Amino acid sequence: MTLAQHRLIADGAYLMTAAELDAGLGADRNAWQRFGRHWDALADDPYAAELGTRRLRRYGHFAFVPADAAIDPMPHDAFVQPQASNPLYVDRSRHFEPLTDAFVEEPLLQRFLRLLGQVATMLDDLPRWSVKVTPFRVLASTSDGGDPTPEGLHRDGVTLVTSLLIGRDNAVGGESSVFSADGRHLLSTTLSEPGTLLLGDDRRTLHGVTPIRPLDAAKPARRDVLVVTFAPMAS
């Protein structure tokens, strides 16, 4: 993780290959395939539906303590993004279905969160972090585009923001872009290989993803990602 941490500090964003992440987690393709099955248990996102996007998700809140690398589940709560971050949902409480017990107990998730905790601690030396975990599935047809970020370029109002590709099928589009706070383009990429991880220092950058469309018009397009954020834990 040293390269990722140093590049993130220097540039504000870093794209980690699946091979790099596998090495850091001790994971293989079988582990990712097993993990990806949890995306079949997501629930509809009614707030995205208001904007014409078919998106499924769940949400979980954890505390991370760097001193002992503890990942502790927090009580399920409303999802609220700070003012001046996401322009569509300024201080709006959104209520999503919680993560399933099987998802929370998944060993690969636990290892992944601890690894991200190491990165977050490089950005800011805090005794306790608020960790929000959101698996997403975006679906699209020829008549209904799937928009992963209907709010456009935005911040999440956190310290570390990450997007991990779990899988995609029959999809074109879905290009992720990261810009500096002053509008300078840092990187653009289409996450295509499961296990590819995009990391960003959310205090210094903006990010967004273009809509997806079906490659074969007879079938829906699908894009599955896991978004995890680290922010200072409120006292």
Side-chain angles (χ1 to χ4, degrees):
M1 287 297 294
T2 302
L3 176 60
Q5 291 165 330
H6 289 172
R7 288 282 301 276
L8 191 58
I9 291 170
D11 303 332
Y14 181 68
L15 180 65
M16 180 179 291
T17 67
E20 286 179 272
L21 184 59
D22 285 351
L25 294 175
D28 58 21
R29 292 302 92 189
N30 290 332
W32 287 117
Q33 289 175 4
R34 182 180 67 248
F35 189 46
R37 296 189 190 110
H38 293 291
W39 270 249
D40 293 331
L42 300 185
D44 282 321
D45 178 346
Y47 305 97
E50 294 172 357
L51 303 170
T53 289
R54 176 83 194 284
R55 185 164 71 183
L56 297 90
R57 67 190 289 173
R58 287 182 181 270
Y59 160 64
H61 189 191
F62 299 82
F64 174 69
V65 181
D68 56 7
I71 301 287
D72 299 318
M74 301 286 286
H76 190 63
D77 54 2
F79 188 85
V80 181
Q81 290 179 285
Q83 191 171 1
S85 58
N86 186 325
L88 287 181
Y89 305 108
V90 175
D91 288 336
R92 182 181 182 185
S93 297
R94 288 180 286 164
H95 297 270
F96 301 110
E97 293 296 318
L99 301 175
T100 64
D101 291 343
F103 190 97
V104 171
E105 295 165 4
E106 175 65 53
L108 187 57
L109 175 68
Q110 297 291 321
R111 298 202 302 272
F112 181 60
L113 295 182
R114 289 187 175 91
L115 183 144
L116 292 183
Q118 296 174 22
V119 177
T121 301
M122 284 285 291
L123 294 177
D124 201 351
D125 186 14
L126 298 178
R128 200 160 180 251
W129 290 93
S130 170
V131 184
K132 295 187 175 182
V133 176
T134 308
F136 286 100
R137 169 170 287 176
V138 173
L139 300 169
S141 66
T142 52
S143 58
D144 296 309
D147 198 344
T149 56
E151 61 271 46
L153 282 174
H154 67 284
R155 288 190 177 93
D156 283 17
V158 298
T159 301
L160 175 68
V161 59
T162 72
S163 182
L164 172 69
L165 183 71
I166 300 301
R168 55 185 283 152
D169 181 60
N170 191 43
V172 294
E175 182 182 62
S176 301
S177 293
V178 182
F179 291 81
S180 66
D182 61 4
R184 180 168 49 91
H185 178 255
L186 297 177
L187 68 85
S188 290
T189 184
T190 300
L191 303 178
S192 57
E193 182 180 3
T196 306
L197 174 65
L198 180 59
L199 305 110
D201 183 341
D202 194 58
R203 302 165 302 180
R204 301 161 51 199
T205 60
L206 301 163
H207 61 276
V209 185
T210 63
I212 62 170
R213 293 281 186 181
L215 181 63
D216 179 350
K219 300 186 297 182
R222 172 181 60 84
R223 182 179 184 267
D224 293 348
V225 299
L226 176 63
V227 173
V228 178
T229 64
F230 279 68
M233 180 67 75
S235 57

